[in-house]
Amino acid sequence: MTTAVTGREAPRRRLSAGLRPTAKVLPEHARAHNRSLVLQHLFHEGPTSRADLARATSLTRVTISDLVAVLMAEGLVEELGVRPGQRVGKPAMLVGMRTSAYQVVAVDLTDDEVVRGAVMTLTGDLVLRRDLPVDGRTGTELVDLLTRFCRGLVAAASQPVIGVGIGSPGVVDSAGRVVEAPNRRWYDVPLAETLTDRLGLAVHVANDANTAALGEFTFGGASGSGLLVLTVGEGVGAGIMVDGARVRGHGDAAGELGHVTVVDHGDPCACGRRGCLETVLSVPALRRAVDGLDTEAADAALASVGRTLGVALAPVVSALNLAEVLISGPADLLDGPLREAALETVRERTMPVIGSGLQVRMATLDEDVVLAGAAVLVLSGQLGVS
């Protein structure tokens, strides 16, 4: 069974970035769009009458009645009885999503050493969590390990699983193909297609930082008007949302801040170049920078990295007029002198109208941010909810 959902208040999205249509609009496109409107409203607003659904979505009552009947037949929606407290007129029958009847599997590949996974409800609650050591596997061996890991999570679910979501490092295209993930030795790997075939379930794969941005937007309460989520682990990535939509960019590589050169003639990077932001901001690099230092010296070292980060962030914040930068990673390294120096540097390097209102804070969902976003990938891809 294929469907998809995401959580929290749904933003209004632009229909097109251009003035000319790029493809013919077919009847099935309209049906899919209307289906998504209904599911999104039920997901974000809760049980609703058919009449209220029609008003909220601007669809006709006949269309709503037909859509609800189809969704009930699919087992995604159910009637919940009449609205309590109503005394005048015909009682309104409420319909709602069966969010407790299905689950999703979410996987986080951010860490080089451990694969993190979870079974989650459609509303983002953890049912169970599992970790598995990678033991140095890369390439095909890592794909095989990931397959076994996902099978175990699907088998452990207590409700039918509607899909698997995976947040992966590297450049990932819209079809879930890992174009390039140097730390994993993955180049042009059709990860979503391969795992879909092996698991017999819909699998959705996206860049881990983009996935984190979805998680914070959907379940963490972050603003989608201008949001950047910076993931700091073995590598460094950034997911960006503007006007309620995830920014993909040409070649699906938007947000690759980790491989922007910030230190001339710096240390070698996994991408083959030198002095990338990843070489100073990744967790291993930060641990090396503070190793053996007293508190004052360690704070100074972290603040120095924060200023470097601020220099890299300033043009992005200014170009996109971002409202929030959320940092996901070890708080002992990131939440303090580093974060404060980054914010101060961005404000120094941008116009007051942009920098003065900017927030640079730690991600709300902490280490679960990519898992939450991976669940959103499934909800969006399978049910059209976002």
Side-chain angles (χ1 to χ4, degrees), residues 118-354:
V119 176
M120 305 179 75
T121 68
L122 299 192
T123 52
D125 295 322
L126 281 168
V127 177
L128 64 88
R129 183 201 306 271
R130 287 181 179 173
D131 295 344
L132 182 66
V134 172
D135 292 331
R137 292 179 178 85
T138 59
T140 302
E141 286 188 347
L142 183 55
V143 175
D144 293 340
L145 179 73
L146 183 58
T147 301
R148 296 192 296 272
F149 186 59
C150 289
R151 280 179 180 150
L153 287 169
V154 171
S158 57
Q159 297 290 343
V161 172
I162 64 171
V164 177
I166 298 174
S168 170
V171 177
V172 183
D173 70 15
S174 58
R177 176 183 294 270
V178 181
V179 178
E180 181 178 355
N183 290 338
R184 301 296 184 274
R185 302 294 186 265
W186 282 346
Y187 300 93
D188 197 29
V189 176
L191 190 59
E193 180 183 351
T194 299
L195 292 177
T196 294
D197 290 342
R198 292 182 180 183
L199 300 175
L201 284 169
V203 178
H204 302 271
V205 182
N207 169 268
D208 54 351
N210 288 333
T211 304
L214 286 176
E216 283 290 341
F217 172 62
T218 301
F219 295 122
S223 168
S225 60
L227 167 70
L228 184 148
V229 177
L230 188 75
T231 56
V232 180
E234 295 296 319
V236 175
I240 304 169
M241 295 194 70
V242 175
D243 295 338
R246 181 157 51 108
V247 177
R248 294 181 178 275
H250 175 70
D252 297 289
E256 281 295 329
L257 283 181
H259 297 292
V260 171
T261 300
V262 294
V263 180
D264 292 336
H265 313 297
D267 293 337
C269 181
C271 72
R273 298 183 301 157
R274 286 181 171 271
C276 292
L277 182 62
E278 187 171 295
T279 65
V280 296
L281 185 60
S282 68
V283 170
L286 292 175
R287 296 285 185 208
R288 289 193 297 270
V290 300
D291 184 40
L293 300 180
D294 60 30
T295 300
E296 183 177 354
D299 286 350
L302 292 173
S304 177
V305 176
R307 286 189 288 273
T308 300
L309 171 60
V311 171
L313 284 175
V316 180
V317 169
S318 187
L320 298 177
N321 190 20
L322 299 179
E324 293 181 300
V325 173
L326 274 59
I327 305 176
S328 174
D332 63 313
L333 294 171
L334 302 169
D335 191 14
L338 190 153
R339 179 184 58 80
E340 293 163 3
L343 175 58
E344 182 180 357
T345 302
V346 171
R347 286 179 172 168
E348 289 173 350
R349 290 172 171 263
T350 56
M351 295 175 62
V353 69
I354 292 172

